[in-house]
Amino acid sequence: MAQRPDTAPAFAKRRKRGFEAASSLLSHRVQKAAEGRGFAVARLLTHWPEIAGADLARMTRPVRVSHSRAGLGATLTLLTSGPTAPMVEMQLPQLRERVNACYGYNAIQKIVLTQTAATGFAEGQAQFAHAPRKPAAPDPQDQARAREVAQKFDDPVLAEAMARLALNLKTRKTPKG
């Protein structure tokens, strides 16, 4: 006699759901950890570069959301380094609007900057990403050689691709020794 669907073993139900995203497996644990720091919406932590913007995300990191006793909004504490603090300070009103858009209402009343980690000096060593280096301009002689290679082809798309390939091969750093 066949089992009824509601009495099927749990592993059989799991098999029917298919592949689950890895984020759904950890979402409960991430939410618990975020709530410990006052973050009611863990999305603020997990999507910080999208919320703050790439430039501000490189210079800041959300540390804590603390609620006042009066209940009139919360304070977001951001970790930043000393030299970037004045630049971040000027952008706080726009950042507050972006953060409140993440929450969906006016949850954050004030943003406070700190230059030390909230966990202490030993545990919270702040590491921020540096701006990516811009590649050096190729040598004009290498560019001329790449154009010579490209002139050998009639198809413009192929000619451009071959010019890029020739330039990449010429400017590629080869290991010494």
Side-chain angles (χ1 to χ4, degrees):
M1 187 166 153
Q3 287 184 336
R4 292 179 27 203
D6 53 7
T7 61
F11 67 88
K13 287 182 182 181
R14 180 167 172 79
R15 243 187 266 152
K16 291 179 185 177
R17 288 193 316 223
F19 180 75
E20 285 188 59
S23 63
S24 68
L25 299 173
L26 294 175
S27 64
H28 181 68
R29 290 183 182 173
V30 170
Q31 185 68 30
K32 279 269 196 215
E35 287 171 356
R37 290 287 192 165
F39 292 96
V41 178
R43 182 170 182 251
L44 185 65
L45 293 173
T46 57
H47 293 84
W48 182 245
E50 295 170 13
I51 295 167
D55 293 335
L56 273 176
R58 255 194 254 98
M59 296 185 281
T60 62
R61 181 167 297 135
V63 177
R64 177 181 60 226
V65 173
S66 57
H67 300 275
S68 65
R69 292 179 190 224
L72 298 173
T75 301
L76 172 64
T77 303
L78 293 178
L79 176 64
T80 187
S81 62
T84 60
M87 290 187 296
V88 174
E89 185 85 32
M90 289 188 297
Q91 299 178 33
L92 288 183
Q94 295 87 4
L95 182 60
R96 186 169 94 53
E97 290 175 10
R98 290 180 192 167
V99 170
N100 284 332
C102 169
Y103 277 97
Y105 65 99
N106 200 13
I108 303 296
Q109 291 296 322
K110 184 167 82 169
I111 298 178
V112 176
L113 297 179
T114 183
Q115 295 175 17
T116 60
T119 56
F121 293 103
E123 299 90 11
Q125 298 297 320
Q127 298 294 324
F128 296 101
H130 296 286
R133 291 185 182 181
K134 294 180 182 175
D139 186 33
Q141 292 176 348
D142 293 339
Q143 288 179 336
R145 178 69 183 128
R147 281 193 299 271
E148 289 175 18
V149 169
Q151 289 175 353
K152 296 178 183 177
F153 299 93
D154 294 332
D155 183 16
V157 175
L158 180 60
E160 183 182 339
M162 292 305 290
R164 276 184 295 170
L165 177 63
L167 189 59
N168 287 341
L169 289 173
K170 193 68 176 169
T171 58
R172 182 178 64 180
K173 296 195 184 336
T174 57
K176 294 180 182 176

